[in-house]
Amino acid sequence: MAVPWEKYFRQALQEKLPNSYRKTPEHNADHFPPVLRLLEKRQELAEADQGLRAQKEVFQTTMAALKLRREQLEKKEQELKGSFVRFDKFLQDAEARRSCALRRAAEERHRAGRREAQALRLRAQLEELQRERARLQRQLERLEPCARLLVQVLEQLPQFQEIPELVARFDALADTQAALRLTERQRLGELEEARARLQRLRDTWQDELLRQGQRRAQLLERLEAARERTLHWESKWVQIQNTAAEKTLLLGRTRMSALNLFQLVCQHQRQPPALDIEDTEGQLEQVKQFILDLSTMLASFPQAQPAAPAP
């Protein structure tokens, strides 16, 4: 903690003064006169001033040393910071190199694993090829008599110039034979299916015949019922025709009667017939109107008084 200058110098002065001068004024007043005390005070002040100057020089020297020491410490601190930065950079570079080395090592291990796997695969393929070669060698040895036989056959068949032509011909014949066998199996299957279908038809023929007989009986019953209904409706039709003839005759008579009445009305009114001969409704309307007019006219005449009896 910093100490103020005034307090510092006062403490230094008290430390420099003898113990006899640091006694209380009441104790010294009994032994020295005032002049001596003044001189003593001046001497004390001079000694204190000299001590203070010495203390100040020592303090200034100490402060300069402390300042130099602080500068040195700051310089060392800067150097340490630079060292720390360089060391941190060195550590980062070392870590980066380590990571790169680890990555390269991992890549190398991965490539080595792949090369090992590829080598194992190639070794397995080589073994497979060796087994295939051995198998083909055995097959070649087994087919060697066939090759000699083909050469002999080729010598006996002049239409073939090379063994591949003979083999191709044989393959074509084998394919044809296989196709014929397949066709034969298909035809046999179709024949078996037809036989099974025929047997099913034979098995179901009796039932079908019985069902057809029952259906024929039902159809005969329906035919008989239809004939009865036909006779019934024919009799109805004859009856309707007779009724229609009677109605037609009655209608003709009615129309003739209406025409006669219309002609009588026209003669009574001394007018020629103005309606068509087929307009029966108009004729009846004219007759009706004439009867109404005649009834009105008769109703308008006064009724005659009854004659008095003779005396």
Side-chain angles (χ1 to χ4, degrees):
M1 183 178 180
V3 182
W5 290 104
E6 184 180 356
K7 187 176 180 181
Y8 175 76
F9 288 130
R10 187 179 293 112
Q11 291 177 358
L13 179 60
Q14 290 177 1
E15 291 176 357
K16 292 296 182 180
L17 288 176
N19 294 330
S20 61
Y21 293 105
R22 288 200 296 267
K23 294 180 180 179
T24 59
E26 292 79 7
H27 182 73
N28 295 327
D30 298 335
H31 297 86
F32 301 98
V35 176
L36 292 177
R37 286 198 300 272
L38 180 60
L39 291 174
E40 290 176 356
K41 291 293 183 182
R42 287 181 178 178
Q43 186 180 0
E44 291 176 359
L45 288 174
E47 291 177 356
D49 188 33
Q50 185 179 1
L52 286 174
R53 283 195 296 270
Q55 288 289 334
K56 185 176 181 180
E57 290 177 358
V58 172
F59 180 75
Q60 289 178 353
T61 303
T62 305
M63 291 300 294
L66 288 175
K67 183 177 180 182
L68 180 61
R69 182 62 177 170
R70 185 181 294 111
E71 291 177 355
Q72 292 176 355
L73 289 175
E74 289 178 355
K75 185 177 179 181
K76 286 186 176 295
E77 184 180 1
Q78 294 296 329
E79 291 177 356
L80 286 175
K81 286 182 179 180
S83 299
F84 286 153
V85 171
R86 289 192 298 273
F87 184 70
D88 190 14
K89 185 177 180 182
F90 172 75
L91 289 178
Q92 291 179 358
D93 294 340
E95 183 64 25
R97 288 192 297 272
R98 179 175 174 274
S99 299
C100 184
L102 291 175
R103 186 169 60 254
R104 286 197 298 271
E107 291 177 356
E108 287 295 332
R109 286 195 299 272
H110 184 63
R111 284 195 293 270
R114 286 189 300 179
R115 286 194 294 269
E116 184 67 23
Q118 186 176 7
L120 292 175
R121 186 171 63 254
L122 291 176
R123 191 176 295 111
Q125 291 179 359
L126 179 60
E127 293 176 357
E128 182 66 24
L129 290 175
Q130 289 177 353
R131 288 194 296 271
E132 183 67 18
R133 180 176 178 275
R135 186 182 64 81
L136 292 176
Q137 184 66 31
R138 290 192 301 271
Q139 187 176 3
L140 180 62
E141 293 175 356
R142 188 175 64 255
L143 295 177
E144 184 67 25
C146 298
R148 291 195 298 269
L149 179 61
L150 286 175
V151 171
Q152 296 175 4
V153 171
L154 186 63
E155 292 175 355
Q156 296 177 4
L157 296 175
Q159 63 269 25
F160 297 103
Q161 302 296 327
E162 298 292 338
I163 292 178
E165 296 180 1
L166 180 61
V167 174
R169 178 63 176 173
F170 178 76
D171 292 339
L173 292 175
D175 294 339
T176 304
Q177 184 181 7
L180 291 174
R181 287 180 178 177
L182 178 62
T183 305
E184 183 181 4
R185 286 196 298 270
Q186 292 177 353
R187 295 295 181 269
L188 289 176
E190 293 176 357
L191 180 60
E192 292 295 331
E193 184 178 358
R195 287 177 178 175
R197 189 166 56 251
L198 178 61
Q199 185 63 35
R200 287 195 299 271
L201 290 175
R202 287 177 177 176
D203 294 338
T204 58
W205 179 73
Q206 296 293 336
D207 297 336
E208 184 66 24
L209 183 61
L210 181 60
R211 285 196 299 271
Q212 292 298 331
Q214 294 176 355
R215 181 175 176 78
R216 179 175 177 277
Q218 293 175 359
L219 291 176
L220 288 175
E221 292 178 358
R222 292 173 61 184
L223 178 61
E224 187 66 26
R227 286 177 179 176
E228 292 179 358
R229 287 196 300 272
T230 302
L231 294 175
H232 173 72
W233 286 111
E234 285 179 353
S235 62
K236 285 287 187 182
W237 175 245
V238 172
Q239 184 179 358
I240 289 170
Q241 286 181 343
N242 294 332
T243 305
E246 294 176 358
K247 296 295 183 181
T248 302
L249 181 59
L250 180 61
L251 179 61
R253 292 176 180 177
T254 304
R255 292 180 66 181
M256 290 299 296
S257 300
L259 181 60
N260 293 331
L261 290 174
F262 176 68
Q263 289 177 354
L264 290 175
V265 169
C266 290
Q267 290 177 4
H268 186 272
Q269 292 178 352
R270 293 183 177 85
Q271 294 179 359
L275 297 176
D276 186 47
I277 193 171
E278 298 294 334
D279 190 4
T280 305
E281 293 182 358
Q283 295 171 5
L284 291 174
E285 187 66 28
Q286 290 289 336
V287 172
K288 177 182 177 182
Q289 188 64 36
F290 175 75
I291 292 172
L292 292 174
D293 294 340
L294 184 60
S295 299
T296 304
M297 185 174 56
L298 291 176
S300 62
F301 289 156
Q303 295 183 359
Q305 296 292 332

